[in-house]
């Protein structure tokens, strides 16, 4: 079997419905919808984050031509539901275009499995932030194991013969093996949404072998980039030499009498739906009004940053690069407005509480230092925007700064390109985001280099517009041709091949 790398190689991407009467079972930690109370009634709101944004159209038979019938298994949410809320959830579930099943986690599991092992150890380690890692083992690991067991149990409790079970992300690394133990013939796919670190980093984890074995319960293991896939294969070769054989050429692992396929599948967006939303006259009018408001204040260039509030996203480094830019090029003061929109996230993890304070202080310090008249260089919104609120900013902005310190993929970069239908905007993109592999025509920067970021800002403001347009056109065409349907089609095609490969052994 050839090495799977749809980022660079053609692969069968004809729309892949699963065999008839078969079902896709998506398993994620985060619930796709949360219950929101408004006045006296409840409604369901889509949750913020890359994973839900990407997966929703796969199962959403209302919005997609390649959607498949499915079940979505996830936790119930960070706060256990009160009886009244549970009733409301049951009533509203029917509005979703797919079936959902929830996994109730105890407060202890949420503290130690989710906030602890997943978000205070795996997340920073997989993003190369070793100094942020909390290696406390005594409660975090047992709760990670028990929570993973609950997800595996939920899969088994809901299982039907035609299921293709697709487990997602670093919170659930043990689930594939736990399902395999309960049901050896189960079809199991896994996808990791964050980077997979190099061996030298991964080996620092106390439970590194258990985690690899957990993932190897799958038939197909997917990553965003070939580099992440190779890191994983090298970790298996180094850490499980007596129980697994790795073939780097075919990107396969043999263990436990099975073949496991490993591949790169760069995630993307439901581009057509996003473009359709952006082309609504009301949305266009909002974008124009937004621009006009800034222009009235003398602003010629609008820049944006849109992120979950996370230290991996490089928000402070970006703001400091803007500060350095205004000091070096004072002629752009008053003429450039930067808007940073950040969605609060993981507020129960200590590093995230201090991050919000740090960003607010940085914004205050920079504005205090540089503000002139009515102009403050940075506007900061710290809340969830709806897509209708967010899109006008994407449309109005002359440039976007997507400059994470490390990021598995980064969908904001692709969202910004997708809606530049006139190729107007410019994207400044970190080379340490997975998206940089696919978007080399963006203004690619090293997020650790303030100097490079300053120069990139200068370039996007001063280069001739035809050069910027041709670079954006290349980025947009890439995003359009490798959209979410391409991602799901290529993953499901490879999943079916991987199950055949496993059964052939
Ligand atoms: P995330 O780290 O959550 O996802 P990302 O891919 O950037 O990050 O997606 C964030 C999503 O949230 C985007 O759709 C964006 O528009 C939205 N968003 C951000 N700020 C918002 C705000 N203030 N209000 C409303 N919406 C907001 C993880 C990995 C990524 C990977 C995805 C998918 O960390 O690297 O791209 O999964 O695999």
């Amino acid at each position: 079997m050839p090495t799977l790398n749809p980022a660079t190689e053609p692969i069968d991407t004809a729309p892949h419905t699963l065999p008839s009467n078969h079902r896709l079972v998506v398993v994620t930690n985060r619930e796709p919808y949360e219950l929101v109370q408004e006045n006296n009634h409840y409604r369901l709101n889509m949750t913020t984050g890359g994973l839900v944004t990407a997966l929703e159209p796969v199962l959403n038979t209302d919005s997609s031509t390649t959607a498949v019938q499915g079940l979505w298994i996830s936790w119930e949410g960070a706060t256990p539901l009160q009886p009244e809320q549970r009733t409301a959830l049951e009533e509203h579930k029917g509005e979703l275009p797919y079936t959902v099943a929830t996994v109730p986690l105890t407060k202890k599991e949420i503290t130690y499995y989710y906030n602890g092992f997943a978000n205070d150890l795996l997340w920073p380690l997989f993003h190369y932030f070793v100094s942020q890692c909390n290696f406390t083992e005594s409660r975090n690991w047992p709760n990670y194991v028990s929570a993973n067991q609950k997800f595996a149990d939920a899969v088994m409790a809901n299982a039907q013969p035609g299921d293709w079970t697709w487990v997602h992300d670093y919170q659930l690394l043990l689930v594939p093996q736990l399902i395999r133990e309960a049901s050896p013939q189960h079809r199991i796919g896994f996808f990791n949404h964050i980077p997979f670190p190099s061996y030298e980093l991964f080996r620092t984890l106390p439970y590194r072998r258990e985690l690899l074995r957990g993932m190897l319960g799958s038939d197909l293991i997917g990553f965003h980039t070939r580099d992440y896939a190779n890191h994983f294969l090298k970790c298996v070769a180094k850490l499980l030499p007596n129980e697994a054989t790795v073939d780097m050429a075919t990107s396969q692992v043999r263990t436990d009498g099975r073949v496991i396929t490993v591949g790169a599948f760069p995630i993307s967006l439901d581009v057509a739906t996003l473009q359709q939303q952006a082309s609504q006259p009301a949305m266009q009018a909002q974008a124009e009004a937004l621009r006009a408001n800034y222009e009235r204040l003398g602003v010629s260039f609008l820049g944006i940053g849109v992120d979950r509030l996370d230290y991996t996203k490089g928000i402070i480094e970006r703001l400091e690069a803007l500060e350095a830019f205004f000091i070096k090029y004072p002629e752009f003061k008053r003429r450039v407005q930067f808007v940073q929109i950040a969605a609060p996230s993981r507020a129960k993890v200590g590093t995230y509480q201090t991050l919000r304070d740090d960003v607010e202080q940085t914004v205050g310090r920079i504005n205090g230092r540089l503000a002139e008249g009515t102009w403050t260089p940075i506007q900061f919104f710290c809340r969830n925007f709806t897509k209708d609120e967010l899109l006008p900013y994407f449309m109005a902005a002359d440039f976007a700064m997507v400059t994470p310190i490390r990021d598995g993929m980064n969908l904001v970069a692709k969202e910004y390109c997708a809606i530049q239908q006139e190729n107007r905007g410019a994207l400044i993109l970190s080379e340490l985001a997975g998206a940089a592999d696919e978007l080399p025509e963006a203004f690619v920067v090293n997020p650790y280099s303030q100097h490079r970021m300053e120069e990139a800002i200068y370039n996007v403001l001063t280069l001739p517009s035809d050069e910027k347009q041709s670079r954006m056109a290349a980025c947009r065409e890439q995003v359009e041709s490798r959209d979410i349907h391409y991602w799901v089609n290529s993953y499901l095609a490879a999943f079916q091949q991987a199950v055949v490969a496993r059964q052939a052994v």
Side-chain angles (χ1 to χ4, degrees):
M1 184 186 264
T3 301
L4 291 163
N5 185 7
T8 52
E9 291 161 27
I11 177 171
D12 171 16
T13 56
H16 273 275
T17 46
L18 293 169
S20 60
N21 299 327
H22 284 213
R23 185 175 75 150
L24 187 63
V25 178
V26 166
V27 190
T28 64
N29 171 73
R30 186 85 205 263
E31 74 280 27
Y33 279 83
E34 61 196 347
L35 202 61
V36 180
Q37 190 169 14
E38 239 176 28
N39 304 322
N40 281 336
H41 68 279
Y42 287 99
R43 64 182 168 78
L44 290 174
N45 234 10
M46 191 173 149
T47 53
T48 304
L51 193 152
V52 175
T53 308
L55 280 175
E56 165 84 7
V58 175
L59 292 184
N60 188 337
T61 44
D62 288 345
S63 75
S64 156
T65 49
T66 54
V68 288
Q69 292 305 316
L71 165 69
W72 191 313
I73 299 177
S74 68
W75 76 345
E76 204 172 73
T79 319
L81 296 178
Q82 298 302 316
E84 173 200 320
Q85 292 171 314
R86 195 175 300 282
T87 311
L89 181 66
E90 287 305 319
E91 281 168 17
H92 285 279
K93 264 182 183 176
E95 295 162 14
L96 298 176
Y98 42 82
T99 318
V100 292
T102 52
V103 178
L105 297 176
T106 62
K107 259 183 150 170
K108 203 170 94 184
E109 280 162 339
I110 291 170
T111 303
Y112 298 113
Y113 140 76
Y114 178 67
N115 295 326
F117 198 82
N119 284 334
D120 220 10
L121 176 57
L122 294 181
W123 176 270
L125 191 94
F126 280 34
H127 287 87
Y128 294 73
F129 281 79
V130 188
S131 62
Q132 302 266 25
C133 290
N134 175 357
F135 283 93
T136 313
E137 289 169 48
S138 56
R139 293 191 179 138
N140 290 356
W141 173 248
N143 281 285
Y144 187 81
V145 175
S146 70
N148 272 246
Q149 185 67 60
K150 281 190 176 175
F151 281 91
D153 292 347
V155 170
M156 296 318 301
N158 287 283
Q160 291 178 6
D163 282 355
W164 295 75
T165 299
W166 193 2
V167 181
H168 291 264
D169 230 1
Y170 63 99
Q171 301 93 352
L172 305 180
L173 296 176
L174 303 178
V175 171
Q177 181 62 13
L178 294 170
I179 302 172
R180 180 74 58 211
E181 282 165 9
S183 171
Q185 293 308 313
H186 215 93
R187 305 177 195 94
I188 308 167
F190 180 81
F191 192 85
N192 201 53
H193 289 261
I194 65 175
F196 197 88
S198 65
Y199 166 69
E200 279 305 328
L201 217 72
F202 188 77
R203 70 191 295 210
T204 59
L205 272 176
Y207 294 96
R208 59 212 173 176
R209 291 192 178 82
E210 287 83 348
L211 294 171
L212 291 178
R213 288 187 192 112
M215 295 170 78
L216 288 170
S218 317
D219 293 305
L220 174 66
I221 303 175
F223 298 93
H224 290 305
T225 72
R226 190 69 240 165
D227 282 342
Y228 305 158
N230 285 343
H231 289 162
F232 173 78
L233 290 167
K234 282 182 191 147
C235 286
V236 173
K238 289 273 212 181
L239 292 167
L240 301 175
N242 300 325
E243 56 192 275
T245 314
V246 174
D247 185 337
M248 295 297 289
T250 59
S251 198
Q252 287 182 324
V253 179
R254 273 172 191 267
T255 187
D256 187 31
R258 293 179 292 117
V259 170
I260 295 106
T261 307
V262 177
F265 306 89
I267 203 165
S268 191
L269 315 165
D270 187 352
V271 175
T273 301
L274 195 68
Q275 290 181 339
Q276 197 250 338
Q277 286 168 342
S279 61
Q280 298 296 318
M283 200 60 79
Q284 306 259 351
Q286 278 188 48
E288 278 161 28
L290 199 63
R291 270 199 80 81
N293 278 344
Y294 285 113
E295 279 166 12
R296 259 196 297 280
L297 297 170
V299 170
S300 321
F301 299 101
L302 180 64
I304 52 160
V306 177
D307 311 82
R308 260 191 324 99
L309 190 59
D310 196 299
Y311 52 86
T312 60
K313 303 290 181 185
I315 298 172
I316 291 181
E317 293 78 357
R318 180 185 311 157
L319 299 178
E320 288 175 349
L322 280 153
E323 178 185 20
F325 164 80
F326 284 119
I327 289 167
K328 188 162 175 188
Y329 301 104
E331 65 273 28
F332 284 104
K333 281 183 175 179
R334 292 172 175 257
R335 293 178 57 213
V336 176
Q337 176 70 57
F338 193 77
V339 178
Q340 175 63 54
I341 300 169
S345 154
R346 304 177 190 167
K348 296 267 164 56
V349 182
T351 41
Y352 289 77
Q353 289 156 4
T354 50
L355 178 68
R356 182 174 179 157
D357 293 344
D358 292 346
V359 172
E360 282 172 352
Q361 277 177 22
T362 306
V363 172
R365 186 183 58 70
I366 296 172
N367 283 341
R369 182 177 182 193
L370 297 176
E372 289 182 3
T374 55
W375 176 76
T376 48
I378 294 156
Q379 267 189 341
F380 179 51
F381 296 95
C382 191
R383 65 176 174 86
N384 259 309
F385 276 40
T386 62
K387 270 279 173 294
D388 285 358
E389 287 177 296
L390 208 48
L391 282 185
Y393 280 94
F394 279 130
M395 293 157 75
D398 298 284
F399 67 100
M401 291 188 76
V402 179
T403 53
I405 301 295
R406 190 74 65 162
D407 214 332
M409 172 56 69
N410 196 298
L411 293 177
V412 174
K414 293 189 171 184
E415 286 166 350
Y416 183 67
C417 295
I419 61 162
Q420 301 303 316
Q421 277 155 302
E422 287 164 14
N423 305 320
R424 209 180 54 81
L427 173 66
I428 300 177
L429 177 61
S430 163
E431 63 189 7
L432 300 177
D437 278 16
E438 290 177 89
L439 303 173
E441 291 87 358
F443 291 81
V444 176
V445 292
N446 178 341
Y448 288 99
S449 166
Q450 194 174 84
H451 169 68
R452 298 260 180 237
M453 287 208 274
E454 272 166 43
E455 292 312 301
I457 299 166
Y458 183 78
N459 285 339
V460 300
L461 300 177
T462 56
L463 281 175
S465 46
D466 55 348
E467 176 177 343
K468 285 189 283 185
Q469 279 179 353
S470 71
R471 291 173 74 154
M472 178 47 76
C475 293
R476 187 176 51 74
E477 280 159 24
Q478 168 67 22
V479 174
E480 283 173 353
S481 66
R482 304 280 163 114
D483 67 358
I484 189 69
H485 306 303
Y486 182 91
W487 178 69
V488 71
N489 288 342
S490 52
Y491 189 90
L492 290 185
F495 194 0
Q496 294 178 57
Q497 288 169 19
V499 168
V500 172
R502 187 243 301 162
Q503 287 168 341
V505 173

